[in-house]
Amino acid sequence: MANNAVYRVEKTVVYENGKVLNECYSILFYQDQILNCMREELIELHQLISLALNDRKEVSDEQES
């Protein structure tokens, strides 16, 4: 079965003494890694992408007024 996914996110978790030491995320685009970051950095990226996507909605709402 072919994998037709454009994006894929892989998560690696490192544990120490039964606790999460860190979480690392790899983002792949058509099987090629384009980003490797820690949880905090991915959260920041998520917020920026959400802001950009919502900005388009806000501009559309303003044009309707």
Side-chain angles (χ1 to χ4, degrees):
M1 180 177 199
N3 183 358
N4 296 327
V6 175
Y7 289 97
R8 186 173 82 208
V9 177
E10 296 177 352
K11 176 181 176 181
T12 303
V13 180
V14 177
Y15 297 94
E16 186 175 274
N17 297 324
K19 296 182 180 180
V20 175
L21 184 61
N22 65 37
E23 296 171 282
C24 185
Y25 297 83
S26 296
I27 299 176
L28 294 92
F29 178 69
Y30 288 110
Q31 311 261 339
D32 293 325
Q33 183 175 321
I34 59 171
L35 179 67
N36 190 36
C37 61
M38 303 302 286
R39 178 179 180 83
E40 294 77 16
E41 297 164 332
L42 187 58
I43 290 170
E44 181 180 348
L45 177 59
H46 176 267
Q47 291 170 341
L48 290 171
I49 290 171
S50 294
L51 178 64
L53 291 172
N54 289 333
D55 182 53
R56 181 175 175 189
K57 182 180 175 195
E58 291 172 10
V59 169
S60 177
D61 291 344
E62 290 174 7
Q63 290 174 352
E64 291 175 5
S65 298

